[in-house]
PDB file of all heavy atoms in Angstrom:
ATOM      1  N   ASP C 905       4.498 -27.075 -14.292  1.00  0.00           N
ATOM      2  CA  ASP C 905       5.355 -28.169 -13.839  1.00  0.00           C
ATOM      3  C   ASP C 905       6.661 -27.645 -13.240  1.00  0.00           C
ATOM      4  O   ASP C 905       7.151 -28.161 -12.229  1.00  0.00           O
ATOM      5  CB  ASP C 905       5.663 -29.122 -15.006  1.00  0.00           C
ATOM      6  CG  ASP C 905       4.434 -29.972 -15.363  1.00  0.00           C
ATOM      7  OD1 ASP C 905       3.525 -30.064 -14.511  1.00  0.00           O
ATOM      8  OD2 ASP C 905       4.383 -30.507 -16.490  1.00  0.00           O
ATOM      9  N   ALA C 906       7.206 -26.610 -13.885  1.00  0.00           N
ATOM     10  CA  ALA C 906       8.451 -26.042 -13.358  1.00  0.00           C
ATOM     11  C   ALA C 906       8.207 -25.453 -11.972  1.00  0.00           C
ATOM     12  O   ALA C 906       8.974 -25.681 -11.033  1.00  0.00           O
ATOM     13  CB  ALA C 906       8.973 -24.964 -14.307  1.00  0.00           C
ATOM     14  N   MET C 907       7.106 -24.712 -11.842  1.00  0.00           N
ATOM     15  CA  MET C 907       6.790 -24.070 -10.559  1.00  0.00           C
ATOM     16  C   MET C 907       6.619 -25.114  -9.466  1.00  0.00           C
ATOM     17  O   MET C 907       7.077 -24.931  -8.335  1.00  0.00           O
ATOM     18  CB  MET C 907       5.513 -23.235 -10.708  1.00  0.00           C
ATOM     19  CG  MET C 907       5.147 -22.437  -9.467  1.00  0.00           C
ATOM     20  SD  MET C 907       6.399 -21.175  -9.137  1.00  0.00           S
ATOM     21  CE  MET C 907       5.679 -20.341  -7.731  1.00  0.00           C
ATOM     22  N   ALA C 908       5.951 -26.220  -9.816  1.00  0.00           N
ATOM     23  CA  ALA C 908       5.723 -27.269  -8.818  1.00  0.00           C
ATOM     24  C   ALA C 908       7.060 -27.756  -8.269  1.00  0.00           C
ATOM     25  O   ALA C 908       7.224 -27.967  -7.061  1.00  0.00           O
ATOM     26  CB  ALA C 908       4.943 -28.415  -9.448  1.00  0.00           C
ATOM     27  N   ILE C 909       8.036 -27.909  -9.158  1.00  0.00           N
ATOM     28  CA  ILE C 909       9.348 -28.398  -8.716  1.00  0.00           C
ATOM     29  C   ILE C 909      10.044 -27.348  -7.841  1.00  0.00           C
ATOM     30  O   ILE C 909      10.615 -27.658  -6.803  1.00  0.00           O
ATOM     31  CB  ILE C 909      10.214 -28.798  -9.932  1.00  0.00           C
ATOM     32  CG1 ILE C 909       9.532 -29.972 -10.644  1.00  0.00           C
ATOM     33  CG2 ILE C 909      11.627 -29.156  -9.504  1.00  0.00           C
ATOM     34  CD1 ILE C 909      10.058 -30.269 -12.033  1.00  0.00           C
ATOM     35  N   PHE C 910       9.944 -26.094  -8.285  1.00  0.00           N
ATOM     36  CA  PHE C 910      10.543 -25.020  -7.484  1.00  0.00           C
ATOM     37  C   PHE C 910       9.944 -25.000  -6.079  1.00  0.00           C
ATOM     38  O   PHE C 910      10.656 -24.878  -5.089  1.00  0.00           O
ATOM     39  CB  PHE C 910      10.301 -23.659  -8.159  1.00  0.00           C
ATOM     40  CG  PHE C 910      11.350 -23.311  -9.187  1.00  0.00           C
ATOM     41  CD1 PHE C 910      11.057 -23.296 -10.548  1.00  0.00           C
ATOM     42  CD2 PHE C 910      12.632 -22.987  -8.772  1.00  0.00           C
ATOM     43  CE1 PHE C 910      12.035 -22.970 -11.478  1.00  0.00           C
ATOM     44  CE2 PHE C 910      13.611 -22.651  -9.698  1.00  0.00           C
ATOM     45  CZ  PHE C 910      13.315 -22.648 -11.063  1.00  0.00           C
ATOM     46  N   ILE C 911       8.618 -25.126  -6.002  1.00  0.00           N
ATOM     47  CA  ILE C 911       7.962 -25.091  -4.684  1.00  0.00           C
ATOM     48  C   ILE C 911       8.378 -26.313  -3.858  1.00  0.00           C
ATOM     49  O   ILE C 911       8.727 -26.194  -2.683  1.00  0.00           O
ATOM     50  CB  ILE C 911       6.418 -25.072  -4.820  1.00  0.00           C
ATOM     51  CG1 ILE C 911       5.964 -23.800  -5.540  1.00  0.00           C
ATOM     52  CG2 ILE C 911       5.755 -25.154  -3.445  1.00  0.00           C
ATOM     53  CD1 ILE C 911       4.485 -23.800  -5.920  1.00  0.00           C
ATOM     54  N   ALA C 912       8.361 -27.479  -4.501  1.00  0.00           N
ATOM     55  CA  ALA C 912       8.686 -28.719  -3.786  1.00  0.00           C
ATOM     56  C   ALA C 912      10.048 -28.613  -3.110  1.00  0.00           C
ATOM     57  O   ALA C 912      10.256 -29.123  -1.999  1.00  0.00           O
ATOM     58  CB  ALA C 912       8.648 -29.900  -4.752  1.00  0.00           C
ATOM     59  N   GLY C 913      10.954 -27.899  -3.758  1.00  0.00           N
ATOM     60  CA  GLY C 913      12.314 -27.755  -3.209  1.00  0.00           C
ATOM     61  C   GLY C 913      12.354 -27.042  -1.873  1.00  0.00           C
ATOM     62  O   GLY C 913      13.342 -27.127  -1.138  1.00  0.00           O
ATOM     63  N   THR C 914      11.282 -26.316  -1.546  1.00  0.00           N
ATOM     64  CA  THR C 914      11.276 -25.587  -0.266  1.00  0.00           C
ATOM     65  C   THR C 914      10.666 -26.429   0.853  1.00  0.00           C
ATOM     66  O   THR C 914      10.565 -25.966   1.974  1.00  0.00           O
ATOM     67  CB  THR C 914      10.453 -24.287  -0.375  1.00  0.00           C
ATOM     68  OG1 THR C 914       9.061 -24.616  -0.569  1.00  0.00           O
ATOM     69  CG2 THR C 914      10.921 -23.408  -1.516  1.00  0.00           C
ATOM     70  N   ALA C 915      10.243 -27.636   0.489  1.00  0.00           N
ATOM     71  CA  ALA C 915       9.506 -28.446   1.467  1.00  0.00           C
ATOM     72  C   ALA C 915      10.119 -29.813   1.676  1.00  0.00           C
ATOM     73  O   ALA C 915       9.456 -30.752   2.108  1.00  0.00           O
ATOM     74  CB  ALA C 915       8.046 -28.580   1.019  1.00  0.00           C
ATOM     75  N   MET C 916      11.407 -29.975   1.341  1.00  0.00           N
ATOM     76  CA  MET C 916      12.064 -31.278   1.549  1.00  0.00           C
ATOM     77  C   MET C 916      13.572 -31.067   1.725  1.00  0.00           C
ATOM     78  O   MET C 916      14.087 -30.003   1.380  1.00  0.00           O
ATOM     79  CB  MET C 916      11.774 -32.207   0.360  1.00  0.00           C
ATOM     80  CG  MET C 916      12.323 -31.722  -0.972  1.00  0.00           C
ATOM     81  SD  MET C 916      12.063 -32.918  -2.318  1.00  0.00           S
ATOM     82  CE  MET C 916      10.329 -32.809  -2.599  1.00  0.00           C
TER      83      MET C 916
END
Side-chain angles (χ1 to χ4, degrees):
Chain C
D905 287 342
M907 184 65 176
I909 296 166
F910 274 110
I911 297 171
T914 67
M916 63 176 72

